[in-house]
Amino acid sequence: MEHKLVVVTGVPGVGGTTITQKAMEILKEENINYKMVNFGTAMFEVAQSQNIVEDRDEMRKLDADTQKRIQKMAGRKIAEMVKEQPIVVDTHSTVKTPKGYLAGLPKWVLDELNPNMIVVVETTGDEILIRRMSDETRKRDLETASDIEEHQFMNRCAAMTYGVLTGATVKIVKNKNGLLDEGVEELVSILRY
Ligand code: AMP
Ligand code: MG
């Protein structure tokens, strides 16, 4: 049996992973058990095993064909898991590469995953800029607030095309400063089944 598959997206630093983890903890208490799968980690495992990168933040700088090859392999791995249980995929609607925006879910990945819902986690460019500056665990790109807003605009566009191609619904969830719990509650309510 195929289980539900929800894709959670957001620009780096918006807190997509955090909000998803918190929502899943709450759902677990209700016996709603999604498995959270990080698409970047699945890609990194492939890239590392082929000695292509040493750091996950190097992947988006690779040439587009290499990124797409790894992306396809990660997509296939995740598609296998949805046969076992409901899945939340933590990923990006688009990836900002030196040569432009790369679709996080091009059609061959969508065909594998067949998502029911695409969630886009957002806040203002200013808030994301500050969150990136205070995160020392990652090699975040230095961008202005308006660069980040352009990226978020492209992410919305890409997310809606994923909806058009698959019939998945597209939900925007805000993760504003000091209002994490509201975002978590909204995500919980749409993940309930
Ligand atoms: P993250 O930890 O979510 O920031 O992901 C780490 C890296 O994985 C990103 O910077 C991208 O290089 C890559 N990545 C994650 N999801 C995708 C995707 N759907 N398509 C292509 N690359 C991705
Ligand atoms: Mg993340």
Side-chain angles (χ1 to χ4, degrees), residues 6-23:
V6 177
V7 177
V8 178
T9 69
V11 292
V14 75
T17 306
T18 306
I19 201 171
T20 306
Q21 276 168 345
K22 288 192 182 293

Side-chain angles (χ1 to χ4, degrees), residues 117-136:
M117 182 165 55
I118 314 287
V119 178
V120 183
V121 181
E122 292 184 349
T123 190
T124 62
D126 284 321
E127 288 189 356
I128 291 162
L129 185 66
I130 291 164
R131 290 178 198 174
R132 284 186 189 173
M133 289 193 301
S134 55
D135 179 3
E136 283 167 8

Side-chain angles (χ1 to χ4, degrees), residues 10-13 15-18 38 56 90-92 138 140:
V11 292
T17 306
T18 306
N38 187 296
R56 65 195 289 125
D90 175 11
T91 188
H92 301 282
R138 296 290 301 268
R140 301 296 197 196

Side-chain angles (χ1 to χ4, degrees), residues 5-10 37-40 42-43 67-68 70-76 78-79 87-97 101-120 151 154-170:
L5 188 141
V6 177
V7 177
V8 178
T9 69
V37 182
N38 187 296
F39 201 104
M43 281 180 63
Q67 290 185 60
K68 281 184 270 190
I70 304 167
Q71 180 188 51
K72 189 173 185 175
M73 294 172 78
R76 184 154 298 160
I78 296 167
I87 302 272
V88 175
V89 183
D90 175 11
T91 188
H92 301 282
S93 183
T94 71
V95 175
K96 204 171 210 173
T97 82
Y101 294 102
L102 178 79
L105 304 170
K107 63 181 190 307
W108 50 88
V109 175
L110 278 179
D111 286 344
E112 295 269 2
L113 295 182
N114 195 22
N116 303 93
M117 182 165 55
I118 314 287
V119 178
V120 183
H151 190 180
M154 298 301 276
N155 284 344
R156 282 189 179 195
C157 298
M160 200 60 238
T161 69
Y162 306 150
V164 171
L165 289 168
T166 62
T169 53
V170 178

